[in-house]
């Protein structure tokens, strides 16, 4: 392998953030009744058999992409929040292994997190940033949106579910990696988007990740989501989340060897996990 293939600084930076889900053995949860809600299982089963993963952004420019069949060939398919597959199979596929959901989606009644079929029979990784330097104890009482109540309801209702909470400290470490990548260009002092958190969470479990329509392709159409008619380019280029910096960093991680055809023409970033850090 060439030097370049072994050493991708941006990929290593993302890996080093160590984005992870909370486990029962983690303090302070090992001493709190709340921690017993965490699943005993690992995030993914049979990790050794995982060869390829797809991450499907919710971008409007996925509409008309016809990437559904390609997406469904991957061992793991990650989606976000309440992004549907039903009615969009041709463009986004129908397989879902894991959903990364933000704490608004867990808490706001319109998403019906504890009952809606879209959140059943898939792995859930829910996140809330909490305060930048807050302890995990602080987080339990001061999350941006109280995701704990519905998480508990969900876990009690479906004890066999694989529903996890993402370690908020690891979310902020990812923000720091992004800051490091951005160098002296300031990035917004808000957590990364679910998309970037999802990439960092998945990469340690997957030798090759195809991230679909994250870096905008030539299909760019100004729509926020493929599943709604809303026009809003801030969804693609960022306002609250440091989305533009995330996408530059993700593009820097791209290892597809076809002269930008796959990124800009097909909307597919291919990211390989480094063998060693
Ligand atoms: O829109 P959202 O994101 O659910 O999208 C999921 C991830 O897809 C990528 N994306 C999305 C749209 C687009 N045009 N380009 C993209 O690249 C991003 O990586 C994004 O993270 C979120 O990150 O959780 C977010 O959630 C929404 C919203 O809370 C949920 O969809 C529920 O309605 C946020 N929007 C608002 O709060 C209004 C969004 O800022 C971030």
């Amino acid at each position: 392998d060439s030097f370049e293939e072994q050493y991708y600084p941006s990929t290593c930076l993302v890996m080093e953030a160590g984005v992870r889900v909370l486990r029962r053995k983690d303090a302070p949860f090992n001493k709190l009744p709340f921690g017993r809600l965490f699943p005993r299982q690992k995030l993914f089963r049979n990790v050794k058999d995982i060869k390829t993963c797809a991450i499907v952004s919710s971008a409007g420019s996925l509409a008309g992409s016809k990437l559904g069949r390609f997406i469904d060939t991957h061992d793991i398919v990650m989606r976000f929040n309440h992004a549907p597959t039903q009615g969009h199979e041709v463009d986004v596929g129908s397989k879902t292994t894991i959903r990364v959901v933000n704490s608004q989606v867990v808490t706001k009644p319109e998403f019906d997190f504890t009952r809606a079929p879209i959140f059943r029979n898939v792995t859930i990784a829910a996140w809330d940033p909490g305060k930048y330097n807050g302890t995990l104890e602080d987080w339990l009482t001061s999350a941006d949106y109280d995701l704990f109540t519905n998480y508990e309801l969900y876990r009690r209702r479906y004890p066999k579910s694989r529903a996890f909470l993402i370690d908020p400290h690891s979310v902020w470490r990812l923000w720091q990696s992004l800051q490091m990548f951005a160098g002296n260009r300031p990035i917004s002092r808000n957590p990364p988007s679910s998309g970037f958190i999802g990439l960092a969470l998945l990469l340690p479990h997957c030798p090759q990740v195809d991230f679909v329509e994250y870096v905008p392709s030539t299909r760019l159409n100004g729509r926020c989501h493929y599943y709604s008619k809303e026009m809003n380019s801030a969804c693609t280029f960022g306002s609250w989340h440091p989305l533009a910096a995330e996408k530059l960093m993700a593009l820097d991680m791209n290892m597809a060897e076809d002269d930008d055809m796959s990124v800009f023409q097909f909307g597919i970033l291919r990211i390989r996990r480094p063998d060693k850090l």
Side-chain angles (χ1 to χ4, degrees):
D1 281 355
S2 69
F3 172 76
E4 288 87 324
E5 260 169 9
Q6 282 302 314
Y7 184 67
Y8 254 48
S10 44
T11 310
C12 295
L13 260 178
V14 164
M15 290 278 290
E16 279 162 7
V19 171
R20 62 188 289 275
V21 293
L22 292 168
R23 306 311 313 263
R24 289 184 176 210
K25 60 176 176 359
D26 295 335
F29 303 101
N30 54 353
K31 302 234 159 53
L32 297 175
F34 184 75
R36 290 205 284 274
L37 287 168
F38 300 165
R40 287 183 193 285
Q41 300 104 302
K42 298 256 174 67
L43 184 60
F44 297 111
R45 48 194 131 212
N46 307 330
V47 178
K48 278 195 218 75
D49 300 336
I50 301 174
K51 292 192 176 61
T52 64
C53 299
I55 309 183
V56 187
S57 92
S58 304
S61 338
L62 265 169
S65 70
K66 299 206 165 67
L67 287 171
R69 210 188 298 258
F70 168 75
I71 289 167
D72 283 347
T73 61
H74 294 75
D75 300 321
I76 300 263
V77 178
M78 173 182 276
R79 302 181 193 273
F80 300 100
N81 297 322
H82 60 306
T85 52
Q86 212 177 17
H88 305 273
E89 291 88 349
V90 175
D91 293 331
V92 305
S94 54
K95 178 172 178 172
T96 306
T97 320
I98 177 169
R99 277 184 189 274
V100 173
V101 298
N102 71 40
S103 52
Q104 297 192 46
V105 172
V106 177
T107 46
K108 290 188 177 171
E110 68 253 40
F111 298 111
D112 197 16
F113 176 72
T114 62
R115 296 234 183 240
I118 202 164
F119 303 119
R120 297 293 317 287
N121 304 313
V122 297
T123 298
I124 299 282
W127 71 277
D128 179 282
K131 305 280 164 289
Y132 181 72
N133 265 326
T135 64
L136 291 172
E137 284 92 343
D138 295 337
W139 183 59
L140 284 171
T141 56
S142 66
D144 285 11
Y145 292 84
D146 163 38
L147 73 175
F148 308 110
T149 308
N150 271 350
Y151 176 74
E152 175 158 4
L153 247 168
Y154 182 101
R155 285 288 298 150
R156 290 198 190 288
R157 200 167 273 164
Y158 318 113
K160 294 202 175 116
S161 62
R162 284 180 127 83
F164 300 86
L165 298 178
I166 296 179
D167 179 350
H169 289 162
S170 72
V171 169
W172 286 114
R173 287 197 301 268
L174 182 63
W175 182 86
Q176 286 165 343
S177 288
L178 195 60
Q179 175 79 83
M180 205 102 86
F181 174 79
N184 57 11
R185 296 174 296 250
I187 63 167
S188 93
R189 300 172 75 85
N190 293 314
S193 73
S194 296
F196 201 58
I197 294 172
L199 170 63
L201 179 69
L202 192 52
L203 200 53
H205 304 279
C206 200
Q208 179 182 299
V209 175
D210 289 330
F211 202 155
V212 182
E213 202 60 47
Y214 182 54
V215 168
S217 74
T218 54
R219 282 187 298 267
L220 188 65
N221 60 9
R223 277 168 61 182
C224 182
H225 296 124
Y226 66 82
Y227 52 85
S228 90
K229 294 269 172 282
E230 183 196 349
M231 299 296 287
N232 184 353
S233 49
C235 300
T236 303
F237 297 106
S239 52
W240 195 75
H241 295 288
L243 203 56
E246 294 174 16
K247 292 182 182 204
L248 265 180
M249 189 168 185
L251 182 59
D252 194 56
M253 296 163 75
N254 179 44
M255 291 192 84
E257 283 157 20
D258 51 6
D259 294 290
D260 303 334
M261 270 297 279
S262 65
V263 181
F264 300 118
Q265 202 68 13
F266 307 129
I268 300 160
L269 274 179
R270 178 156 290 178
I271 297 171
R272 281 190 236 285
R273 182 177 65 198
D275 302 338
K276 45 179 181 276
L277 287 180

